[in-house]
Amino acid sequence: MVSSRNWIGGEWITPAAGESIVINPSNMKEEVGVLHLSDQSHVIQAEQAARKAFEAWSHLTGAARAEHLYKLAAALESKLAEVANLASLEMGKPITEMRGEVMRGVNLLRYYAAEGVRANGVVIPSSEPNVLQHTKKVPLGVVGIITPWNFPVAIPIWKIAPALICGNTVIWKPAEFASLTATKLIEVFAEAGLPSGVINLVIGKGSQIGDVLLEQIPLDAVSFTGSTSIGTHIAQLCAKRNIKYQTEMGGKNAAIVLKDADLEKTVPLIVSGAFRSAGQKCTATSRIIVESGIYDSFTKALGTAVSQIKLAPALDPAAYLGPVASASQYKTVMSYVDMAQKQADIIAQGPAVAEKNEGYYIQPIVAAGLDAGHPLIQEEVFGPVAALLQASDFEEAIALCNQSIFGLSASLFTQNLSYAHRFLDEAQAGMVRVNQETAGVEYQSPFGGMKLSSSHSREQGQAALDFYTELKTCAIRYF
Ligand code: NAD
């Protein structure tokens, strides 16, 4: 059985502040590995190792750092199947999706490696003679990276890769439910020859080591992805210390279907947005807003499509969705399923899984007939539960879409160019997409949300380079 371990200053350490068995969410009888938890001393050691490594790493040329990132990409690609397999076993994401996620990680490493030789400033004409005035981006120092379990490979890499290419060193605290995958990922990186201390992996519970990480060690920045409640707490701690922070948080993403939408193409995208990864994506479609003129034909087509998707163990290559990730996820999501069964009309339902009692399987459902203020319409469920609302026209649909504390992603399905443009202008979300599902934003584009979904900076693409650097304005006079 595999075990989680810390990697600090180039040394593997098995922490002993707690131990538990990791269960396969697709089959609770199967033990996948052992989780070992850190105490505060590991966080302190990790900061010391990262601080020491910063000196040499930040002084490498961008081209030299790029060479390291290309090696990490090649190493990860060569271990793609192994990493994907372990992640599917640990947190239940279907293997086909998980392979795609690892490949996204490889592509992110290559994308950010290439930044090592790109311009990192601009020349600004001076008003004075013989003065060269320009900007340059400099690294921040030691960055704390805190990640969730739902994208156990892609999210850590979309933070670590830009942090490293910009010259920072990293302390990475993954979610407990993705710690075996995190250990595997760092094993792959360590074998690829990444210098000691450049990345330091500390496995542990946020409630046990979060305070020391965020309040006691001298961190220079924090990048967090996770729930809005933890994210806003972290933002407050960072603001108090005046260190740079970025929090990517929850969503309640809407897909609007107008009466001119092409149903044959629209329905599969809605189903995929809502139920791939068992709805455990921050960008999952959790509200479907349908224009009255197409309501009957849309709900009929949706009902048929949902009834045909396959709920199966994560390692089944035909699984459309697998179980939810853990016992706590199962409990939370089932409380919303119960609420839907008691208070809503279930207008679409997926098939049951044969081994239902063996894993954390939840039949996907679409609930309708609810008020716009109902918890199923307003709260993030983070499971295979979507809610459907009816709107009389585009204006009402946009108003419903924007009636949310979240603002991560939103979609519109239409063939009308005017509505498409108005939607891009009027929808209050960081990612607005026409005739595309709410999930699936490409890695070379900025990723992030409005309102309580984000602290308003962006990840991925070129935007990440702004977060992981500080801008210096330079001026030099020559006599
Ligand atoms: P979570 O907030 O429970 O945990 C996220 C991370 O924070 C974990 O590593 C956890 O251990 C850590 N943590 C918890 N308490 C902490 C503390 N006091 N101090 C420091 N760290 C602490 O979230 P989760 O259940 O792992 O992930 C699901 C959530 O993540 C959902 O709300 C989802 O929408 C969100 N998410 C957002 C995005 C995005 O980009 N916006 C992407 C994926 C997931």
Side-chain angles (χ1 to χ4, degrees):
M1 259 203 312
V2 291
S3 282
S4 76
R5 294 185 290 168
N6 288 345
W7 196 53
I8 299 176
E11 303 279 333
W12 286 106
I13 299 160
T14 303
E19 190 182 303
S20 58
I21 299 292
V22 178
I23 300 295
N24 178 0
S26 298
N27 177 359
M28 292 178 302
K29 290 183 191 141
E30 191 184 332
E31 296 180 353
V32 181
V34 187
L35 173 66
H36 297 283
L37 298 175
S38 304
D39 60 37
Q40 302 201 343
S41 69
H42 299 106
V43 181
I44 294 165
Q45 286 164 24
E47 190 278 330
Q48 287 163 350
R51 188 72 54 195
K52 192 166 159 216
F54 178 70
E55 182 59 24
W57 183 253
S58 61
H59 283 97
L60 287 181
T61 61
R65 290 197 291 263
E67 280 311 310
H68 283 291
L69 264 66
Y70 282 122
K71 282 186 194 153
L72 303 189
L76 183 57
E77 193 167 24
S78 73
K79 296 279 168 64
L80 189 149
E82 232 176 279
V83 174
N85 232 56
L86 179 61
S88 288
L89 281 173
E90 186 177 23
M91 47 68 72
K93 186 177 290 191
I95 188 66
T96 44
E97 263 191 276
M98 204 49 241
R99 286 201 191 109
E101 182 182 333
V102 179
M103 197 56 217
R104 185 181 178 119
V106 172
N107 288 330
L108 278 155
L109 284 161
R110 293 197 175 121
Y111 176 85
Y112 286 111
E115 293 304 322
V117 291
R118 292 237 169 81
N120 84 338
V122 291
V123 174
I124 301 158
S126 170
S127 315
E128 294 183 44
N130 299 341
V131 171
L132 173 64
Q133 184 171 244
H134 65 98
T135 59
K136 65 169 159 186
K137 291 174 177 170
V138 297
L140 302 169
V142 175
V143 179
I145 286 179
I146 302 174
T147 52
W149 46 265
N150 68 325
F151 281 88
V153 173
I155 289 180
I157 293 180
W158 82 48
K159 295 175 188 292
I160 290 170
L164 295 191
I165 200 64
C166 292
N168 304 285
T169 55
V170 163
I171 302 171
W172 174 27
K173 198 215 84 59
E176 302 98 276
F177 296 118
S179 294
L180 299 178
T181 308
T183 306
K184 179 79 206 162
L185 192 60
I186 293 299
E187 281 170 7
V188 173
F189 288 174
E191 280 166 26
L194 194 66
S196 302
V198 168
I199 301 179
N200 301 278
L201 173 68
V202 182
I203 307 277
K205 289 194 176 188
S207 55
Q208 286 171 354
I209 57 171
D211 287 358
V212 65
L213 181 64
L214 294 159
E215 296 185 273
Q216 290 176 34
I217 58 165
L219 271 190
D220 298 298
V222 174
S223 180
F224 164 89
T225 298
S227 60
T228 296
S229 59
I230 303 289
T232 47
H233 166 69
I234 287 176
Q236 284 170 25
L237 296 179
C238 293
K240 238 191 236 173
R241 299 178 74 174
N242 195 30
I243 59 171
K244 211 170 178 184
Y245 65 87
Q246 168 177 67
T247 55
E248 284 304 331
M249 305 178 283
K252 189 73 188 172
N253 313 291
I256 300 175
V257 183
L258 294 186
K259 62 184 177 205
D260 68 343
D262 177 334
L263 280 193
E264 215 173 293
K265 296 194 173 113
T266 299
V267 170
L269 293 170
I270 299 270
V271 175
S272 169
F275 300 126
R276 289 266 186 208
S277 290
Q280 300 169 116
K281 291 182 188 175
C282 53
T283 48
T285 303
S286 53
R287 293 179 294 152
I288 308 165
I289 301 167
V290 185
E291 194 174 3
S292 303
I294 200 172
Y295 188 83
D296 290 342
S297 47
F298 174 79
T299 49
K300 190 164 171 242
L302 183 70
T304 306
V306 175
S307 71
Q308 288 166 359
I309 59 181
K310 184 167 178 181
L311 171 61
L315 288 185
D316 181 340
Y320 190 91
L321 72 160
V324 295
S326 62
S328 58
Q329 264 294 98
Y330 185 81
K331 194 169 162 223
T332 311
V333 177
M334 281 310 290
S335 70
Y336 285 103
V337 171
D338 290 345
M339 192 188 287
Q341 277 162 349
K342 287 185 188 126
Q343 299 171 22
D345 307 322
I346 308 298
I347 56 139
Q349 185 157 21
V353 70
E355 307 97 314
K356 192 172 175 184
N357 297 324
E358 312 258 316
Y360 303 124
Y361 297 100
I362 298 180
Q363 274 177 277
I365 53 166
V366 181
L370 298 160
D371 290 344
H374 192 278
L376 281 161
I377 307 286
Q378 292 301 329
E379 294 173 11
E380 184 182 45
V381 176
F382 219 57
V385 178
L388 193 133
L389 290 164
Q390 215 174 139
S392 54
D393 53 17
F394 173 81
E395 280 72 21
E396 194 190 357
I398 276 282
L400 286 168
C401 170
N402 290 340
Q403 195 182 328
S404 172
I405 58 167
F406 299 109
L408 192 55
S409 181
S411 287
L412 174 76
F413 291 87
T414 186
Q415 300 188 56
N416 181 312
L417 198 54
S418 300
Y419 285 139
H421 279 288
R422 280 190 58 193
F423 171 76
L424 298 181
D425 286 343
E426 295 172 32
Q428 294 165 355
M431 295 168 291
V432 281
R433 297 156 65 77
V434 174
N435 296 326
Q436 294 211 298
E437 62 177 275
T438 52
V441 177
E442 296 180 32
Y443 65 84
Q444 66 273 34
S445 294
F447 183 102
M450 293 179 172
K451 303 183 187 172
L452 277 175
S453 290
S454 162
S455 55
H456 317 293
S457 64
R458 293 289 180 263
E459 300 204 90
Q460 303 194 80
Q462 296 292 297
L465 304 169
D466 291 334
F467 177 74
Y468 290 103
T469 52
E470 191 123 51
L471 197 62
K472 272 190 175 169
T473 303
C474 312
I476 180 163
R477 188 189 301 277
Y478 43 101
F479 297 114

